[in-house]
């Protein structure tokens, strides 16, 4: 029973298209995140939500829009995809938004924009 | 600026040996939280160990331990009796009190049979 699951695992699409990545956690956590890992394996936070409320928006282009319908779900919609959006996107959750909290990660969505 | 540096892009060690991965950081904060995460070939990030900056005692989790030198701003990870399953990318990460994790660039560790 996967704790943090995201779909799809792989996404190949053309430049200019719109795509969504879905994430669900069954841990009862209050906080969820989106991280981006580039081709050099560098990980950077994009967004965090706490109880459906946006907390962190880390200078991400407006083409990226997260949506949290409830605290167990955090989806990421990307408009007008660009080549530079190719990366692995990780969803994560934590019990609370406190500094010491362990993050539980999904297995990632590898996005390839052609 | 708050920065995290992992100066060893790649390391390899024989199975059963001990290996130490380095991590240094820069911050003006006094209290913060330090982590090591592992990313095996399966891609999923897994917490290895964590430390609170105000605690003097170094954290240990089975074969994994840290050497936290607050004055030197150093946070290294020691893996004892290394196993093939330890092969992975290792990232140090910090929460500098701003509720988000800042990751280092990672060290690719290969355990050789």
């Amino acid at each position: 029973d996967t704790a943090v699951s995201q779909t799809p695992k792989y996404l190949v699409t053309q430049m200019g298209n719109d795509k969504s990545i879905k994430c669900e956690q069954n841990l009862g956590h209050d906080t969820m995140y989106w991280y981006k890992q580039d081709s050099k394996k560098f990980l950077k936070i994009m967004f965090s939500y706490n109880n459906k409320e946006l907390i962190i928006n880390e200078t991400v282009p407006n083409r990226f829009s997260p949506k949290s319908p409830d605290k167990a779900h955090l989806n990421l919609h990307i408009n007008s995809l660009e080549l530079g959006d190719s990366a692995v996107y990780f969803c994560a959750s934590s019990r609370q938004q406190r500094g010491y909290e362990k993050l539980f990660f999904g297995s990632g969505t590898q996005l390839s924009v052609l | 600026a708050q920065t995290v540096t992992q100066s060893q892009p790649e390391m390899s060690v024989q199975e059963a040996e001990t290996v130490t991965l380095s991590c240094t950081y820069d911050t003006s904060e006094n209290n913060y939280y330090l982590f090591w995460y592992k990313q095996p070939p399966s891609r999923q990030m897994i917490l290895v160990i964590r430390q609170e900056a105000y605690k003097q005692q170094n954290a240990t989790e089975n074969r994994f331990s840290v050497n936290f030198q607050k004055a030197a701003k150093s946070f290294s990870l020691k893996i004892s009796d290394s196993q093939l399953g330890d092969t992975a990318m290792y990232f140090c990460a910090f929460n500098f009190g701003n509720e988000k994790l800042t990751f280092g660039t990672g060290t690719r560790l290969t355990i050789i049979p």
Side-chain angles (χ1 to χ4, degrees):
Chain A
D1 206 20
T2 307
V4 180
S5 58
Q6 52 183 110
T7 54
K9 287 194 181 336
Y10 299 93
L11 190 50
V12 181
T13 188
Q14 298 287 332
M15 219 165 46
N17 283 351
D18 303 338
K19 290 292 178 186
S20 291
I21 306 171
K22 295 187 175 182
C23 180
E24 175 182 4
Q25 53 95 3
N26 62 5
L27 297 166
H29 288 171
D30 284 348
T31 310
M32 295 186 74
Y33 311 80
W34 279 109
Y35 278 83
K36 178 180 179 181
Q37 186 173 42
D38 64 22
S39 58
K40 295 183 178 177
K41 302 292 187 184
F42 184 64
L43 268 157
K44 190 169 180 195
I45 191 168
M46 299 173 71
F47 302 103
S48 77
Y49 271 75
N50 191 56
N51 272 322
K52 303 192 298 176
E53 182 184 347
L54 178 66
I55 302 298
I56 293 173
N57 182 341
E58 193 68 7
T59 60
V60 177
N62 291 340
R63 300 183 294 104
F64 290 79
S65 51
K67 282 190 172 51
S68 182
D70 55 61
K71 73 174 192 176
H73 295 85
L74 180 61
N75 303 323
L76 183 65
H77 187 77
I78 316 169
N79 289 327
S80 304
L81 278 155
E82 300 177 358
L83 294 177
D85 297 332
S86 294
V88 181
Y89 292 85
F90 285 95
C91 177
S93 72
S94 63
R95 195 173 46 168
Q96 294 176 349
Q97 190 158 17
R98 299 257 177 92
Y100 195 62
E101 291 293 336
K102 170 183 176 181
L103 262 60
F104 292 76
F105 283 83
S107 55
T109 296
Q110 184 161 344
L111 172 64
S112 299
V113 182
L114 307 177
Chain B
Q2 293 163 336
T3 58
V4 181
T5 302
Q6 292 181 252
S7 59
Q8 304 150 313
E10 292 190 30
M11 294 185 75
S12 59
V13 66
Q14 291 290 137
E15 192 177 2
E17 289 186 350
T18 294
V19 61
T20 299
L21 308 183
S22 302
C23 179
T24 58
Y25 59 94
D26 191 20
T27 183
S28 56
E29 299 289 333
N30 193 45
N31 195 25
Y32 43 89
Y33 305 94
L34 309 95
F35 306 82
W36 279 96
Y37 278 86
K38 166 185 175 180
Q39 186 177 36
S42 65
R43 204 167 65 190
Q44 189 166 20
M45 301 282 289
I46 302 163
L47 178 68
V48 175
I49 198 166
R50 55 184 165 174
Q51 171 94 31
E52 293 177 70
Y54 70 86
K55 286 191 175 176
Q56 302 273 356
Q57 191 170 2
N58 288 323
T60 61
E61 288 284 345
N62 301 315
R63 298 182 296 108
F64 299 88
S65 61
V66 299
N67 183 3
F68 174 44
Q69 303 285 333
K70 191 171 184 180
K73 296 182 179 173
S74 168
F75 182 59
S76 59
L77 174 69
K78 184 171 90 170
I79 307 174
S80 304
D81 185 27
S82 56
Q83 300 174 359
L84 297 179
D86 295 333
T87 292
M89 284 285 290
Y90 287 81
F91 295 92
C92 60
F94 295 81
N95 186 315
F96 293 115
N98 55 6
E99 309 307 341
K100 60 184 178 183
L101 275 184
T102 299
F103 283 87
T105 49
T107 296
R108 185 181 301 276
L109 176 65
T110 302
I111 309 300
I112 304 164

